[in-house]
Amino acid sequence: ARSIRDLVPSIGGLILASTAWTAWLAHRGASATRMYEGTDTRLATILLGVLGALLVRQRRFRRPSLLRPVAVAGAVVGVVLVAVARGDAGWMYPWGQLAFGVAATAVVVAAAVLQRDAPIRLLGARPLVAIGAVSYSLYLWHWPVYLVLTPDRTHLAGVAVFALRVTVSAVLAVA
């Protein structure tokens, strides 16, 4: 059986390969939809999660206190990307997508290792846990809801159409 340490170079190589492939596709003019929805182009972010899980499983953090600033930086990067990123922006594929994956992995690894830290405990707040419990269903439902509940169909705009979409997506995810 291979040790976790033996897997890291292979996973790292696949992350680099997926990132390079995504950059090549972007350079060749592939659509944002192709790059967002392609398993091959999303592989880097998925494997970052795998790498994070392996790090947590290894349980060998010489200085776990360093995870606090890494988690804060990851959270800040994630929030900034959510605020400014557009799916069709040229820098999103692969760089924005990869940055978000690294940021999310940093937060999740820190949360798994520093479970008793006060800032990390905030992630265990009931509303966040409830969202986490339906997050995949929410992810699956949000896109068809956004396609159906358009401003033209609902006669709503801005925050109102956004609130309607989020509410309907959440109701369907919970159901």
Side-chain angles (χ1 to χ4, degrees), residues 30-53:
S31 72
T33 300
R34 162 65 180 95
M35 291 184 284
Y36 181 79
E37 293 181 359
T39 302
D40 55 341
T41 54
R42 295 301 293 268
L43 188 59
T45 54
I46 294 166
L47 288 175
L48 282 167
V50 170
L51 198 56

Side-chain angles (χ1 to χ4, degrees), residues 10-175:
S10 298
I11 293 169
L14 289 170
I15 290 169
L16 290 174
S18 175
T19 302
W21 174 246
T22 305
W24 186 82
L25 286 173
H27 180 73
R28 303 279 301 184
S31 72
T33 300
R34 162 65 180 95
M35 291 184 284
Y36 181 79
E37 293 181 359
T39 302
D40 55 341
T41 54
R42 295 301 293 268
L43 188 59
T45 54
I46 294 166
L47 288 175
L48 282 167
V50 170
L51 198 56
L54 290 175
L55 286 172
V56 170
R57 175 109 167 114
Q58 196 69 3
R59 295 186 182 146
R60 290 187 188 156
F61 293 91
R62 288 189 180 121
R63 296 181 64 196
S65 62
L66 291 178
L67 289 174
R68 288 181 194 100
V70 169
V72 169
V76 169
V77 167
V79 167
V80 168
L81 285 171
V82 166
V84 303
R86 289 179 37 103
D88 59 355
W91 58 272
M92 272 302 293
Y93 305 100
W95 311 118
Q97 180 174 275
L98 185 65
F100 191 83
V102 169
T105 301
V107 172
V108 170
V109 167
V113 173
L114 304 172
Q115 294 175 9
R116 289 178 171 74
D117 256 28
I120 299 301
R121 283 197 319 259
L122 289 174
L123 295 174
R126 281 189 174 190
L128 294 178
V129 171
I131 292 169
V134 296
S135 63
Y136 188 66
S137 183
L138 189 58
Y139 167 75
L140 293 176
W141 278 111
H142 92 281
W143 188 243
V145 167
Y146 274 54
L147 292 177
V148 171
L149 298 179
T150 64
D152 288 340
R153 287 186 178 130
T154 62
H155 304 291
L156 299 171
V159 174
V161 73
F162 175 76
L164 177 65
R165 288 168 164 173
V166 169
T167 301
V168 170
S169 297
V171 167
L172 290 170
V174 170

